[in-house]
Amino acid sequence: MGVLYHFFTGGTFWDTIGGFYQSTVFIYGTSLLMAYALLAIMSLTSIQRYMKKNSTTDINIIVESPLAPGISVVAPAYNEGVTIISNVRSLLTFNYPKFEVIIVNDGSTDDTLEKLIDEFELVHVEYAFRERLNCEPIKRIFKSTNRAYEKLVVVDKVNGKSKADASNAGINISSYEYFLCTDVDCILDKDTLIRLIKPFMDEETTKVKEVGKPCEECGYVHIEEDYRRVIASGATLRMVNSCDVDEGLMIRVRPPRRLLPRFQEMEYIRAYMLGKMGWDLINAVPNVSGGLGMFDKEIAVKAGGYDSKSFGEDMDMITRMCAFMKDNKRKYAVKYVPLTLCWTEGPTTLKVFGRQRSRWGRGLAQIMSIHRKIILNPRYGRLGLIVFPYAFLYELLAPVVEFTGVLFYIYLIVTGQINWPFAIILIVFVYTYSVMITTLALLWDQLTFKYYKTWGETIGLCLMAFLEPFIYHPLIMFFAIKGYFNFVTGRKHVWGNMQRQGFGMQPTKKKAAAATS
Amino acid sequence: MSNILVIEDDDIMLKAIRNILRKDGHEVLTAKDGKEAFERLDNDEYDVVITDLMMPYANGLEVVSRLRSNPTKRHVGVIVCSSVGNEETITEAFRLGADDYLKKPIMAGELMIRIRKLLANRSSGAKLVTKKK
Amino acid sequence: MWRDLVDLLFQAYEQFSLLPLFIEIALAFIVIAILATIIAYGAIMYKRYKSYVHEKRVAFIGPVIEEMITEQVLLNENLGRDIPTEEIEFDQAALNDKVYKKPFVRQILIETLVQYRKNFRGEVGDLLRKLYIDMDLQKDSFNKLKSLRWEKKIKAVVELTQMDITISDVTILPLTNSTNPSLRAAARNAYVQLSKNEPFKFFDIATEPLLPWDQLELFKIITTTKDIAIPNFSRWVSYSTNKSIVSFCLKLIAHYDQQSAIPAVMELLNNKDHYFRADAIACLGKLSADAAEEKMVKIYNHQPLNCQIEILKAMGSIASGRHLEFLKSEFLYSSNFDIRMNAARAIIRHNTQNSRMLVEELMEMTYEENQLIIKHCLNPLIKY
């Protein structure tokens, strides 16, 4: 950086700013990379712990048990006419003894509802329910006259322009104490319910202590629960794009052939196996993905359910649930399972992908600003001191820092001040490091279950790590910043439905083709 | 003897039941999931169907309901054989028209006796069949 | 040449030490990252190779084992002839095949047998157990029990319990106090299933809470083990200080319909913990404890919502018909939706002449939302 000093002989101001910026960025970058390394170690511990513990348990024991808790599966559907039947059918075949499937027809404009009525012999029933969460009006509720489909409930509601609104309607109708949130076009593993309910049932230590004197109103001493209540659990998602799927059933898993979804598969594995599993170890899971998550209904409802105005409704709800527990001085846990239980369609075109990522970026910015009181607030424990600061520093700010960094480099190059050998060393450093982290994540993934059948598929996915920094990463950065920009300018969002449509169209075509072939 | 269709997604159990029933002199066909089961049911005639409850594509209750709602297949004897012990599910199976319910782990001898009984009832007249709702 | 290399390295180090610190760090990390990446690739390859070999082996040996079990057990000529299982002999030649000397084959064999035992009981189940013993497989399991790794120990305990092989108290009891919760649970399950003297002894001594998943496993073992003597669970309801044990006993009381436990369970209605009270009320409901109804109605007004709802549910299953008026007023005047819903359901569940008349009467006198509740509860298509 000596060049710099020589150049800025005239202006000490620029000298200081440049130097300050550089050292800040260096510290920021190094700490980020250290955090990744730490996460990698934590996730390995937590994955091994899970695998050891579960290699010896017979999960099917719950299938035959009358003590199994009930679960409501909530799946919103918007214009899914082509695939709705096989997907609902597959939702009805979960390996679990006590569950219901609530399909929320979110004002579809196609024949989704008619198809459901015909196939499952549905009739309109007069259903009494309490609207505990806000949602657009529910028009009718259907049940099947065929007892073989007694687990199915179909809700027909006015379009609410968001998944959050539809999910809320489903939760209002649900009758069990846990609910699973998913999308009707996701392909779920048949053991999903068992795998996700188990963390709720084997969280260590349940102790209850009494506090204070008998309450004047009821005459009883109120109690304080001194155990960690599991409020949500989630699992890994992958891309369904190149998998063989038959009538809503996963036949063979493959990494996507096309470049864009393939990058996403790699990114998802890294985010779940390295991120969420690492945070799981210290009970600081930041989010349970909207594609697949199981929740404690009582807490979710008390926390207000999904917010239909949020762009990141999944993280928003988890944050409110955690904050609710903290506000009420109760201990909680959010658990993650290192198994892939859900396959979802990843966007294949840059346009749809960009829209999705901008939305995510905007959602993150929105959550950070809505819940800003949580950041660094010791009252919120890990949520305030770990989850939020991390998300703010390394997720929200990262694209911005990177973007300005690139601009700074360009400036240095243009003005000829750059120290090329050093710059190259730094770039190689960041590059090799990021390849390492991704490769480790893929290795951790191999430890759990052999999802890919062939060597070629596995290595083919691993090699993506080498390309990512050049192709995929700049894209994510760009779209995230675009999302922030939309957030700051408060641009009207017109994509509520469009976005869902975009997602819906592709799998529709693809699966239709697969079904006919 | 008689034609039996065994629907079961656990490979070990499927083969085991098939072998035991064949030894007993029955003609046995198998299906490992709901989809295959429906195909087999459409293509062939059976005297008895033994079905699991939870399996891919369609659950056992659907199999029972399809058999009972089809006038030409209404007479087929249905034995549900599952590890599900939850009372509601069992009642549901009977309401849909299952003739018998065996909880896993099963006794092979018992299964054979029940099949024989079912077949005997059936051959003793179509009256019995019509009595069932 | 060796000297040249040393010189070169030395020069490189000199150069290196002249660099600024952050570049030094960066260079060090480049080396680490490259090495780690290469090792990770190696590990991925190795892992896949290992699972490939394992799959190959299973694919080869699986059918052989299955055929042997089919021949020896499922299609055994002596089955169904009222010959005691102990006297049925296997074809020794088939059992002594040298394939079954290999440890991994024996492990797969054990796992397959366990799988079969999950599907078959009775004569076939007993014969499977005899095969396990005759092939000396319990020795393999007991060896695993000596392993230092807890997951292996659990495996052994599970195999032995599945095969109904007695483990001596000296071996199993220390494991029930293990610091590892999974091992502790497995050992406890084994003890309940295999102990001939006092299977429920640990109910007296357990201080750790019984997690819901443990309860699931224990419940299965208690309800499916053949010769287990079912005690009167009210004993622990009255005397145990471990709440999770008491609430587990409530479930067992309901399952075994132990009417004699009603007074002990009724004592819990005075308990301070309202979650606990709710469990007790639910249990009384399942027992259809007529005697408890009066008391429940009496304490009703002082209860938190969850207990009130449980009381209404319990009254629905007791259905004595003595408190229809009470249910009616709850239905008509409660401001809480869930209470009205459960009151309506309780009335309907009575299913007597009186209750049906009451439902009709309510249908006429109440407002729209309440009518909807009644229609909802009357609809056979809706379960909850």
Side-chain angles (χ1 to χ4, degrees), chain A residues 44-58:
Chain A
L44 181 62
T45 320
S46 136
I47 290 167
Q48 282 181 330
R49 208 178 262 185
Y50 180 88
M51 294 314 284
K52 260 190 185 177
K53 191 170 168 183
N54 284 277
S55 67
T56 50
T57 15
D58 177 11

PDB file of all heavy atoms in Angstrom, chain A residues 44-58:
ATOM      1  N   LEU A  44     -20.223 -29.155  11.853  1.00  0.00           N
ATOM      2  CA  LEU A  44     -19.752 -30.539  11.842  1.00  0.00           C
ATOM      3  C   LEU A  44     -20.117 -31.229  13.157  1.00  0.00           C
ATOM      4  O   LEU A  44     -20.643 -32.345  13.166  1.00  0.00           O
ATOM      5  CB  LEU A  44     -18.237 -30.584  11.622  1.00  0.00           C
ATOM      6  CG  LEU A  44     -17.638 -31.985  11.575  1.00  0.00           C
ATOM      7  CD1 LEU A  44     -18.217 -32.773  10.405  1.00  0.00           C
ATOM      8  CD2 LEU A  44     -16.121 -31.942  11.462  1.00  0.00           C
ATOM      9  N   THR A  45     -19.869 -30.529  14.259  1.00  0.00           N
ATOM     10  CA  THR A  45     -20.202 -31.092  15.570  1.00  0.00           C
ATOM     11  C   THR A  45     -21.679 -31.412  15.642  1.00  0.00           C
ATOM     12  O   THR A  45     -22.092 -32.491  16.079  1.00  0.00           O
ATOM     13  CB  THR A  45     -19.884 -30.073  16.683  1.00  0.00           C
ATOM     14  OG1 THR A  45     -18.672 -29.420  16.361  1.00  0.00           O
ATOM     15  CG2 THR A  45     -19.777 -30.746  18.023  1.00  0.00           C
ATOM     16  N   SER A  46     -22.476 -30.458  15.215  1.00  0.00           N
ATOM     17  CA  SER A  46     -23.906 -30.621  15.373  1.00  0.00           C
ATOM     18  C   SER A  46     -24.461 -31.699  14.444  1.00  0.00           C
ATOM     19  O   SER A  46     -25.351 -32.463  14.819  1.00  0.00           O
ATOM     20  CB  SER A  46     -24.527 -29.240  15.211  1.00  0.00           C
ATOM     21  OG  SER A  46     -25.621 -29.188  14.462  1.00  0.00           O
ATOM     22  N   ILE A  47     -23.886 -31.819  13.241  1.00  0.00           N
ATOM     23  CA  ILE A  47     -24.330 -32.874  12.321  1.00  0.00           C
ATOM     24  C   ILE A  47     -23.960 -34.244  12.883  1.00  0.00           C
ATOM     25  O   ILE A  47     -24.783 -35.165  12.906  1.00  0.00           O
ATOM     26  CB  ILE A  47     -23.692 -32.691  10.930  1.00  0.00           C
ATOM     27  CG1 ILE A  47     -24.278 -31.471  10.238  1.00  0.00           C
ATOM     28  CG2 ILE A  47     -23.911 -33.930  10.066  1.00  0.00           C
ATOM     29  CD1 ILE A  47     -23.507 -31.025   9.025  1.00  0.00           C
ATOM     30  N   GLN A  48     -22.724 -34.351  13.375  1.00  0.00           N
ATOM     31  CA  GLN A  48     -22.314 -35.654  13.919  1.00  0.00           C
ATOM     32  C   GLN A  48     -23.158 -36.047  15.127  1.00  0.00           C
ATOM     33  O   GLN A  48     -23.526 -37.200  15.284  1.00  0.00           O
ATOM     34  CB  GLN A  48     -20.838 -35.613  14.288  1.00  0.00           C
ATOM     35  CG  GLN A  48     -19.962 -35.744  13.064  1.00  0.00           C
ATOM     36  CD  GLN A  48     -18.496 -35.730  13.393  1.00  0.00           C
ATOM     37  OE1 GLN A  48     -18.087 -35.103  14.366  1.00  0.00           O
ATOM     38  NE2 GLN A  48     -17.703 -36.390  12.571  1.00  0.00           N
ATOM     39  N   ARG A  49     -23.472 -35.061  15.927  1.00  0.00           N
ATOM     40  CA  ARG A  49     -24.306 -35.315  17.090  1.00  0.00           C
ATOM     41  C   ARG A  49     -25.669 -35.870  16.648  1.00  0.00           C
ATOM     42  O   ARG A  49     -26.160 -36.845  17.190  1.00  0.00           O
ATOM     43  CB  ARG A  49     -24.504 -34.004  17.836  1.00  0.00           C
ATOM     44  CG  ARG A  49     -24.725 -34.176  19.299  1.00  0.00           C
ATOM     45  CD  ARG A  49     -24.872 -32.832  19.945  1.00  0.00           C
ATOM     46  NE  ARG A  49     -23.635 -32.378  20.543  1.00  0.00           N
ATOM     47  CZ  ARG A  49     -23.557 -31.248  21.264  1.00  0.00           C
ATOM     48  NH1 ARG A  49     -24.620 -30.483  21.413  1.00  0.00           N
ATOM     49  NH2 ARG A  49     -22.432 -30.891  21.796  1.00  0.00           N
ATOM     50  N   TYR A  50     -26.222 -35.205  15.646  1.00  0.00           N
ATOM     51  CA  TYR A  50     -27.534 -35.644  15.161  1.00  0.00           C
ATOM     52  C   TYR A  50     -27.458 -37.062  14.596  1.00  0.00           C
ATOM     53  O   TYR A  50     -28.296 -37.912  14.886  1.00  0.00           O
ATOM     54  CB  TYR A  50     -28.047 -34.687  14.085  1.00  0.00           C
ATOM     55  CG  TYR A  50     -29.400 -35.078  13.547  1.00  0.00           C
ATOM     56  CD1 TYR A  50     -30.559 -34.627  14.161  1.00  0.00           C
ATOM     57  CD2 TYR A  50     -29.526 -35.916  12.449  1.00  0.00           C
ATOM     58  CE1 TYR A  50     -31.807 -35.000  13.695  1.00  0.00           C
ATOM     59  CE2 TYR A  50     -30.762 -36.302  11.969  1.00  0.00           C
ATOM     60  CZ  TYR A  50     -31.895 -35.839  12.598  1.00  0.00           C
ATOM     61  OH  TYR A  50     -33.127 -36.224  12.135  1.00  0.00           O
ATOM     62  N   MET A  51     -26.444 -37.293  13.778  1.00  0.00           N
ATOM     63  CA  MET A  51     -26.348 -38.596  13.118  1.00  0.00           C
ATOM     64  C   MET A  51     -26.175 -39.717  14.147  1.00  0.00           C
ATOM     65  O   MET A  51     -26.790 -40.768  14.045  1.00  0.00           O
ATOM     66  CB  MET A  51     -25.177 -38.618  12.126  1.00  0.00           C
ATOM     67  CG  MET A  51     -25.349 -37.692  10.939  1.00  0.00           C
ATOM     68  SD  MET A  51     -26.961 -37.772  10.156  1.00  0.00           S
ATOM     69  CE  MET A  51     -26.812 -39.308   9.266  1.00  0.00           C
ATOM     70  N   LYS A  52     -25.325 -39.466  15.135  1.00  0.00           N
ATOM     71  CA  LYS A  52     -25.089 -40.481  16.161  1.00  0.00           C
ATOM     72  C   LYS A  52     -26.384 -40.786  16.909  1.00  0.00           C
ATOM     73  O   LYS A  52     -26.772 -41.916  17.102  1.00  0.00           O
ATOM     74  CB  LYS A  52     -24.064 -39.963  17.159  1.00  0.00           C
ATOM     75  CG  LYS A  52     -22.669 -40.486  16.947  1.00  0.00           C
ATOM     76  CD  LYS A  52     -21.856 -40.066  18.145  1.00  0.00           C
ATOM     77  CE  LYS A  52     -20.403 -40.429  18.012  1.00  0.00           C
ATOM     78  NZ  LYS A  52     -19.644 -39.945  19.177  1.00  0.00           N
ATOM     79  N   LYS A  53     -27.024 -39.719  17.324  1.00  0.00           N
ATOM     80  CA  LYS A  53     -28.224 -39.871  18.134  1.00  0.00           C
ATOM     81  C   LYS A  53     -29.317 -40.599  17.357  1.00  0.00           C
ATOM     82  O   LYS A  53     -30.047 -41.409  17.900  1.00  0.00           O
ATOM     83  CB  LYS A  53     -28.712 -38.483  18.537  1.00  0.00           C
ATOM     84  CG  LYS A  53     -29.787 -38.489  19.584  1.00  0.00           C
ATOM     85  CD  LYS A  53     -30.002 -37.079  20.079  1.00  0.00           C
ATOM     86  CE  LYS A  53     -31.249 -36.979  20.907  1.00  0.00           C
ATOM     87  NZ  LYS A  53     -31.514 -35.615  21.340  1.00  0.00           N
ATOM     88  N   ASN A  54     -29.409 -40.291  16.061  1.00  0.00           N
ATOM     89  CA  ASN A  54     -30.523 -40.841  15.299  1.00  0.00           C
ATOM     90  C   ASN A  54     -30.209 -42.137  14.579  1.00  0.00           C
ATOM     91  O   ASN A  54     -31.092 -42.761  14.024  1.00  0.00           O
ATOM     92  CB  ASN A  54     -31.058 -39.794  14.325  1.00  0.00           C
ATOM     93  CG  ASN A  54     -31.893 -38.766  15.047  1.00  0.00           C
ATOM     94  OD1 ASN A  54     -33.062 -38.978  15.306  1.00  0.00           O
ATOM     95  ND2 ASN A  54     -31.262 -37.684  15.446  1.00  0.00           N
ATOM     96  N   SER A  55     -28.912 -42.530  14.583  1.00  0.00           N
ATOM     97  CA  SER A  55     -28.599 -43.798  13.930  1.00  0.00           C
ATOM     98  C   SER A  55     -29.168 -44.944  14.755  1.00  0.00           C
ATOM     99  O   SER A  55     -29.397 -46.031  14.250  1.00  0.00           O
ATOM    100  CB  SER A  55     -27.085 -43.955  13.792  1.00  0.00           C
ATOM    101  OG  SER A  55     -26.513 -44.084  15.073  1.00  0.00           O
ATOM    102  N   THR A  56     -29.400 -44.694  16.040  1.00  0.00           N
ATOM    103  CA  THR A  56     -29.834 -45.786  16.895  1.00  0.00           C
ATOM    104  C   THR A  56     -31.329 -45.770  17.190  1.00  0.00           C
ATOM    105  O   THR A  56     -31.843 -46.716  17.771  1.00  0.00           O
ATOM    106  CB  THR A  56     -29.076 -45.729  18.229  1.00  0.00           C
ATOM    107  OG1 THR A  56     -29.177 -44.412  18.732  1.00  0.00           O
ATOM    108  CG2 THR A  56     -27.625 -46.083  18.034  1.00  0.00           C
ATOM    109  N   THR A  57     -32.020 -44.710  16.788  1.00  0.00           N
ATOM    110  CA  THR A  57     -33.451 -44.680  17.107  1.00  0.00           C
ATOM    111  C   THR A  57     -34.278 -45.211  15.947  1.00  0.00           C
ATOM    112  O   THR A  57     -33.984 -44.943  14.785  1.00  0.00           O
ATOM    113  CB  THR A  57     -33.965 -43.257  17.379  1.00  0.00           C
ATOM    114  OG1 THR A  57     -33.000 -42.349  16.902  1.00  0.00           O
ATOM    115  CG2 THR A  57     -34.278 -43.029  18.814  1.00  0.00           C
ATOM    116  N   ASP A  58     -35.298 -45.921  16.310  1.00  0.00           N
ATOM    117  CA  ASP A  58     -36.238 -46.395  15.306  1.00  0.00           C
ATOM    118  C   ASP A  58     -37.346 -45.349  15.204  1.00  0.00           C
ATOM    119  O   ASP A  58     -38.218 -45.287  16.053  1.00  0.00           O
ATOM    120  CB  ASP A  58     -36.801 -47.753  15.752  1.00  0.00           C
ATOM    121  CG  ASP A  58     -37.839 -48.259  14.784  1.00  0.00           C
ATOM    122  OD1 ASP A  58     -37.955 -47.672  13.690  1.00  0.00           O
ATOM    123  OD2 ASP A  58     -38.537 -49.234  15.118  1.00  0.00           O
TER     124      ASP A  58
END
